[in-house]
Amino acid sequence: MAETKQLVLVVEGTDALRPHWPTIVSNYLEKVIRSYCGTDNQKELALVIFNNHEARNSLFLFFLSSTGDIPFGAAATAEGLSEALMMFPYVNGFQNGRLEKHCILVAASNPYPHPTPVYTPPCFIPPHYKVMKTGNLLCDAETVAKSFSTSFVSLSVISPWRNIPKLEAIYNAANGLLPKTGRNIRIMTNPENLVLISEHFIEARLALSQPEITKVPPKRAVW
């Protein structure tokens, strides 16, 4: 039986993102999800909303129709990423030469700068890929992001603001990239947005690389 493919959205639930949420959904998330799902029913979608450190993170099944209001609070990015990782069953390597587990971080704020207690999932440590023990550790968001590559989960980042270096650092850490080498898909209709798509998330890269189609009114016939 083929392994179920998974996509988890990790969304910041603060007022900083709220006014930009409809645009992010229509310009990016809806396109990615439709491209990712296609006609394949062996794919699972989920949503993690991270708020402040006092509020509990929220976890919901995510469907295309669930793009309405979401609760809002202060950012706790490390906790949101950690919770998303715990949703993926760990696998020992790539499936058919491709990553089949994907995550998209949608954020509008810098992550909490200090390490906080998060639960780390089981992951494989190269070169011998021994399983690392799980447990509670003090980690910041960038440290948690490093677990994505060893857990064989791709991480992409979307933000309404292009210039948030800490979000770029999270993307680079998750994908094993050096600073300034992240792959940035530029959507000309929203040049201020930060859109970093993992090279392993092929469906998302294809969906967002498609040119926008502009309807041109027909010319009037000259008689």
Side-chain angles (χ1 to χ4, degrees), residues 7-37:
L7 170 61
V8 177
L9 302 183
V10 184
V11 179
E12 177 183 331
T14 72
D15 287 329
L17 183 65
R18 184 172 189 173
H20 307 283
W21 178 246
T23 299
I24 288 176
V25 169
S26 61
N27 285 355
Y28 306 113
L29 297 183
E30 186 175 6
K31 295 177 182 178
V32 169
I33 292 171
R34 291 188 183 278
S35 174
Y36 178 70
C37 291

Side-chain angles (χ1 to χ4, degrees), residues 20-79:
H20 307 283
W21 178 246
T23 299
I24 288 176
V25 169
S26 61
N27 285 355
Y28 306 113
L29 297 183
E30 186 175 6
K31 295 177 182 178
V32 169
I33 292 171
R34 291 188 183 278
S35 174
Y36 178 70
C37 291
T39 58
D40 188 351
N41 59 4
Q42 293 296 319
K43 294 181 179 179
E44 294 180 350
L45 303 177
L47 172 66
V48 172
I49 300 175
F50 59 95
N51 298 305
N52 56 26
H53 292 282
E54 290 74 26
R56 296 178 60 185
N57 292 338
S58 302
L59 173 62
F60 304 96
L61 290 180
F62 181 79
F63 299 96
L64 286 176
S65 60
S66 302
T67 56
D69 293 336
I70 56 177
F72 298 95
T77 312
E79 289 88 335

Side-chain angles (χ1 to χ4, degrees), residues 7-10 77 80-81 84-85 88 99 101-106 141-142 144-149 152-158 167-177 183 196-201:
L7 170 61
V8 177
L9 302 183
V10 184
T77 312
L81 292 175
L85 277 176
F88 295 103
L99 285 185
K101 313 295 182 183
H102 305 287
C103 186
I104 300 178
L105 170 64
V106 183
E142 188 173 342
V144 176
K146 293 178 181 179
S147 296
F148 278 79
S149 60
F152 299 101
V153 178
S154 82
L155 178 66
S156 302
V157 175
I158 297 177
L167 292 180
E168 294 188 42
I170 289 173
Y171 172 81
N172 289 334
N175 292 280
L177 300 172
R183 298 177 181 271
L196 298 169
I197 305 299
S198 170
E199 64 179 353
H200 297 294
F201 198 174

